């Protein structure tokens, strides 16, 4: 049964000003993971660091903050306005019975001031705090270890070159919890034991796990696992993780190292060692050498989420196992006398195989989260690959250059896979536009070549 607007409590979310397009899908996904629903009544300005959310309970708000890497803090909102006068009037209208549990004489508190796009002097801060003397605070001030922390938050807009004297919006609330921004540093790729050319940034890895609604005891699979960066974020949230990759050397931690000033990989540079580094080895199922175009799994719904970053042909080749007659064309010898025979694997085929795999092997309600490279001058939503068993949930862009980007696509399984869905995309009249993905590598490097030529020309002037 849906809760009425009156039953929902209002909270203020303070967000980090990076990966702006990824924030709303992350918050929506995490609310649904905790049994909440994102209603159209939420007061959201997409690029603003301040969002007002209606959430059923403080417990759900805390659950949200235990997962999000896009939000810094959440507050129980007591009042807000477009001027100090409006803020004070709003606070006076806030029910006293909701304030009193946090204002008792035997409690301690402090008031913190946060400004966006402006720095205040200490004297200005004290003046703003003193102006709240009409609130019925009965406890003692304790700046070091207060029981309750209250925040005044002021929004001075998005333009650092045109900062107003007075804020556009003011908020006052009780601090509830902080987000998980510290994970970005503690899981930084720079400190990781085993990395590769395309190891995923820690922040984006956690965003992908949140978009995928990964939860404890899930089974999460990455068909292009590489050095396992995406497995780590899912394992951190308590999921059991596994992956496959066509690259024998990467799976076994062999061959040349990626790090500067290191020629060969060490004896314990592998995916398992990465999870062991963060105390997550118990969640590691295994990683196998396998071709994603030829699934090795038994039939059935095996995975709660498929989270992956397919190769684009830029820093990693797009390959699949080739027929024996192609041996003379493409043969690759690795250590341990392992011979790998490969053929080209078009990007359009990679994505259709991926969607077909997700449609067949995901549990109902499970999610597929993957990156799709885009040549921006030709982009339309019609080129996003589709499947009748999968519903598009979100589509977020990360810029790579002036003419290329990649989009984080999140899809949810909403229909059980049937035999007739095996090659359903071949019957789709929209299939031809997807072929444009195959030339992404050429378009990417043509832009790079043009940029280098322009820079050289500019330098000659």
């Amino acid at each position: 049964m849906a809760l009425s607007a009156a039953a929902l409590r209002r909270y203020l979310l303070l967000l980090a000003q990076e990966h702006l397009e990824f924030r709303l899908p992350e918050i929506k996904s995490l609310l649904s993971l905790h049994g909440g629903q994102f209603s159209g009544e939420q007061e959201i300005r997409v690029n603003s660091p301040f969002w007002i959310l209606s959430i059923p309970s403080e417990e759900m708000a805390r659950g949200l903050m235990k997962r999000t890497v896009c939000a810094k803090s959440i507050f129980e909102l007591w009042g807000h306005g477009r001027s100090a006068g409006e803020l004070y009037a709003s606070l006076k209208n806030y029910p006293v019975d909701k304030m009193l549990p946090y204002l008792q004489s035997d409690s301690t508190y402090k008031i913190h001031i946060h400004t966006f796009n402006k720095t205040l002097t200490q004297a200005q801060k004290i003046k703003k705090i003193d102006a709240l003397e009409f609130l019925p605070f009965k406890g003692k001030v304790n700046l070091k270890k207060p029981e309750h922390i209250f925040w005044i938050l002021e929004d001075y807009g998005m333009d650092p070159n045109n900062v107003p004297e007075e804020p556009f919006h003011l908020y006052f609330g009780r601090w509830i919890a902080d987000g998980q921004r510290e994970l970005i540093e503690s899981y930084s790729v720079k400190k990781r034991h085993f990395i590769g050319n395309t190891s995923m940034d820690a922040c984006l890895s956690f965003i992908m796990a949140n978009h995928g609604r990964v939860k404890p005891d899930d089974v999460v699979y990455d068909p292009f696992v590489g050095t396992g960066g995406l497995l780590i974020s899912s394992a951190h949230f308590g999921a059991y993780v596994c992956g496959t990759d066509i690259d024998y050397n990467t799976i076994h931690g062999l061959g040349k190292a990626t790090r500067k000033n290191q020629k060969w990989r060490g004896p314990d540079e592998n995916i398992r060692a990465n999870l062991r580094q963060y105390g997550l080895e118990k969640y590691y199922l295994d990683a196998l050498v396998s071709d994603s175009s030829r699934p090795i799994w038994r039939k059935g719904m095996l995975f709660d989420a498929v989270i992956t970053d397919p190769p684009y042909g830029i820093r990693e080749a797009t390959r699949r196992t080739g027929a024996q007659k192609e041996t003379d064309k493409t043969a690759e010898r690795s250590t341990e006398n392992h011979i790998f025979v490969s053929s080209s694997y078009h990007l359009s085929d990679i994505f259709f195989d991926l969607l077909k795999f997700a449609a067949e092997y995901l549990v109902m309600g499970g999610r597929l989260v993957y990156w799709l490279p885009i040549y921006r001058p030709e982009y339309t939503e019609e080129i996003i690959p589709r499947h009748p068993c999968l519903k598009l949930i979100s589509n977020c862009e990360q810029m790579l250059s002036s003419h290329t980007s990649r989009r984080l696509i999140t899809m949810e399984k909403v229909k059980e896979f049937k035999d007739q869905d095996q090659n359903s995309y071949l019957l789709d009249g929209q299939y031809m536009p997807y072929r444009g993905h195959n030339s992404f590598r050429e378009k990417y490097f043509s832009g790079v070549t043009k940029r280098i030529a322009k820079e050289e020309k500019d330098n000659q002037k």
Side-chain angles (χ1 to χ4, degrees):
M1 180 178 175
L3 291 168
S4 66
L8 297 173
R9 304 177 74 173
R10 300 222 296 174
Y11 294 86
L12 178 70
L13 196 62
L14 174 62
L15 296 120
Q17 286 300 97
E18 66 172 343
H19 302 308
L20 301 189
E21 281 197 27
F22 299 78
R23 302 185 307 182
L24 186 55
E26 189 205 47
I27 299 303
K28 284 183 175 181
S29 296
L30 294 179
L31 281 175
S32 67
L33 180 64
H34 288 88
Q37 187 176 1
F38 194 90
S39 71
E41 299 175 0
Q42 314 283 18
E43 297 180 33
I44 300 297
R45 289 175 292 134
V46 176
N47 292 331
S48 170
F50 302 102
W51 292 358
I52 297 177
L53 302 179
S54 297
I55 301 177
S57 67
E58 184 173 317
E59 180 184 4
M60 187 178 291
R62 290 183 183 277
L64 171 67
M65 301 311 288
K66 286 179 180 177
R67 289 291 301 264
T68 178
V69 291
C70 289
K72 294 181 176 180
S73 304
I74 196 166
F75 310 88
E76 182 183 56
L77 186 62
W78 286 15
H80 68 105
R82 293 180 178 275
S83 66
E86 280 189 21
L87 172 64
Y88 303 152
S90 179
L91 284 169
K92 289 172 182 176
N93 287 329
Y94 190 75
V96 176
D97 60 311
K98 291 184 179 180
M99 290 186 183
L100 288 180
Y102 310 103
L103 306 179
Q104 298 298 318
S105 58
D106 60 348
S107 66
T108 58
Y109 73 94
K110 78 171 182 179
I111 298 176
H112 178 84
I113 293 185
H114 174 87
T115 56
F116 179 75
N117 198 28
K118 189 171 185 176
T119 302
L120 300 180
T121 65
Q122 191 62 24
Q124 288 173 317
K125 291 179 180 180
I126 292 172
K127 184 178 179 181
K128 291 176 182 289
I129 292 172
D130 289 343
L132 296 174
E133 61 183 3
F134 62 88
L135 291 175
F137 287 108
K138 297 178 182 177
K140 294 181 179 179
V141 174
N142 184 328
L143 300 180
K144 291 186 177 180
K145 290 185 178 181
E147 292 177 57
H148 309 297
I149 305 174
F150 301 93
W151 282 48
I152 302 170
L153 302 102
E154 298 184 341
D155 182 2
Y156 287 86
M158 308 293 291
D159 186 357
N161 299 315
N162 186 23
V163 180
E165 282 296 317
E166 298 297 327
F168 293 119
H169 291 87
L170 300 92
Y171 309 88
F172 182 87
R174 177 177 64 91
W175 175 83
I176 301 294
D178 288 333
Q180 303 300 308
R181 297 284 296 170
E182 74 279 357
L183 295 178
I184 299 170
E185 178 62 26
S186 58
Y187 281 84
S188 171
V189 175
K190 294 177 182 178
K191 304 175 183 178
R192 193 165 299 166
H193 190 62
F194 177 45
I195 62 170
N197 291 331
T198 58
S199 293
M200 184 63 64
D201 166 79
C203 182
L204 291 173
S205 296
F206 283 106
I207 287 174
M208 292 176 75
N210 285 335
H211 282 208
R213 294 193 304 194
V214 173
K215 59 187 183 298
D217 298 328
D218 276 356
V219 178
V220 177
Y221 172 64
D222 182 354
F224 304 95
V225 70
T227 56
L230 298 181
L231 302 187
I232 293 170
S233 54
S234 294
H236 174 84
F237 293 133
Y240 293 94
V241 295
C242 59
T244 56
D245 202 287
I246 198 169
D247 192 322
Y248 178 94
N249 284 349
T250 300
I251 289 293
H252 292 280
L254 303 171
K256 291 184 178 181
T258 302
R259 282 192 170 89
K260 189 178 180 181
N261 301 324
Q262 181 184 344
K263 189 172 183 180
W264 302 101
R265 287 176 176 144
D268 196 33
E269 284 192 56
N270 52 57
I271 297 173
R272 182 182 293 275
N274 272 352
L275 280 102
R276 188 186 307 127
Q277 177 183 352
Y278 300 108
L280 301 172
E281 188 176 3
K282 66 179 180 179
Y283 297 112
Y284 180 57
L285 299 176
D286 209 347
L288 309 172
V289 179
S290 174
D291 178 358
S292 64
S293 69
R294 294 175 169 83
I296 58 175
W297 308 98
R298 63 175 171 81
K299 299 295 182 182
M301 295 184 286
L302 305 177
F303 305 113
D304 298 283
V306 175
I307 300 177
T308 191
D309 180 24
Y312 318 145
I314 307 301
R315 285 183 288 178
E316 292 291 343
T318 54
R319 302 178 299 169
R320 58 181 165 187
T321 51
Q324 190 61 40
K325 63 183 180 181
E326 296 173 314
T327 302
D328 295 335
K329 294 181 182 178
T330 317
E332 201 176 287
R333 182 175 295 274
S334 73
T335 57
E336 306 295 332
N337 293 320
H338 177 78
I339 297 177
F340 174 70
V341 181
S342 67
S343 62
S344 61
Y345 193 8
H346 293 305
L347 277 176
S348 60
D349 294 330
I350 289 177
F351 295 120
F352 278 117
D353 287 345
L354 178 61
L355 264 64
K356 186 170 66 175
F357 179 90
E360 186 170 359
Y361 290 96
L362 276 176
V363 301
M364 289 298 294
R367 288 194 169 184
L368 165 66
V369 184
Y370 72 97
W371 290 99
L372 179 70
I374 293 295
Y375 182 61
R376 299 188 79 234
E378 298 176 0
Y379 172 74
T380 64
E381 286 197 4
E382 284 69 34
I383 69 172
I384 304 298
R386 310 279 177 152
H387 193 284
C389 297
L390 302 172
K391 175 186 176 184
L392 180 65
I393 300 297
S394 62
N395 172 4
C396 311
E397 183 180 36
Q398 182 193 27
M399 296 287 292
L400 298 177
S401 69
S402 60
H403 60 288
T404 59
S405 67
R406 59 179 181 176
R407 288 185 169 268
L408 185 63
I409 308 298
T410 302
M411 308 185 88
E412 185 173 318
K413 185 172 178 178
V414 295
K415 175 179 173 289
E416 193 170 330
F417 184 86
K418 303 291 185 184
D419 288 340
Q420 59 264 33
D421 297 319
Q422 186 75 17
N423 294 309
S424 59
Y425 67 89
L426 293 175
L427 305 176
D428 190 342
Q430 293 181 322
Y431 178 62
M432 290 309 294
Y434 304 154
R435 292 291 189 185
H437 295 304
N438 297 340
S439 57
F440 175 77
R441 186 178 190 277
E442 289 73 22
K443 292 170 183 173
Y444 177 89
F445 283 113
S446 70
V448 172
T449 303
K450 289 176 183 176
R451 188 177 73 246
I452 293 173
K454 183 178 183 300
E455 289 174 355
E456 289 176 350
K457 186 177 180 181
D458 292 341
N459 290 335
Q460 290 173 359
K461 290 181 179 178

